Amino acid sequence: MTAVTVLRRACLLVAAVLVLAGCKVDAQIHITLVEDGTGTVTTTVTLDADAVRRVEANGRTLDAAFPLADLGAAGWEITPWVRDPDGSASIELTHTFTGEEELALRLAELTGPTNLLGDVVVRQDRTFLRTHDEVSV
């Protein structure tokens, strides 16, 4: 990712925080780890009805307010925004990874320069009687 892309993502995040102050925005990250060290990281972002109304003020769309083309170009699978009957909306982003370094890269792509999910450690302990996999950030 270029410095311009990182700066743009940081500016969008700050703008979103200011615009959505008082609204509920929920982001969940789910990491699936396979025995061979590969896996999938899935992020679901949900905006409550008030956040959706504020974002869509003046005819702007959720897609226009949150441009994700750079993540799509980086290989992320991005679902369309799904609207719930209560007015909330959610979107899901998914990417595979191979090992600790690539998982750290995928999380950095999501959070930008904040390093919010930095220091990724993948532990896999295998013994005859026990299997234990763990991811920490």
Side-chain angles (χ1 to χ4, degrees), residues 34-55:
V34 182
E35 285 184 23
D36 64 1
T38 64
T40 305
V41 59
T42 302
T43 302
T44 305
V45 178
T46 304
L47 283 68
D48 72 0
D50 191 34
V52 171
R53 276 191 301 278
R54 288 184 186 197
V55 167

Side-chain angles (χ1 to χ4, degrees), residues 66-87:
F66 301 102
L68 301 172
D70 57 335
L71 289 174
W76 286 84
E77 293 179 29
I78 304 169
T79 66
W81 284 94
V82 176
R83 294 174 181 271
D84 291 327
D86 66 359

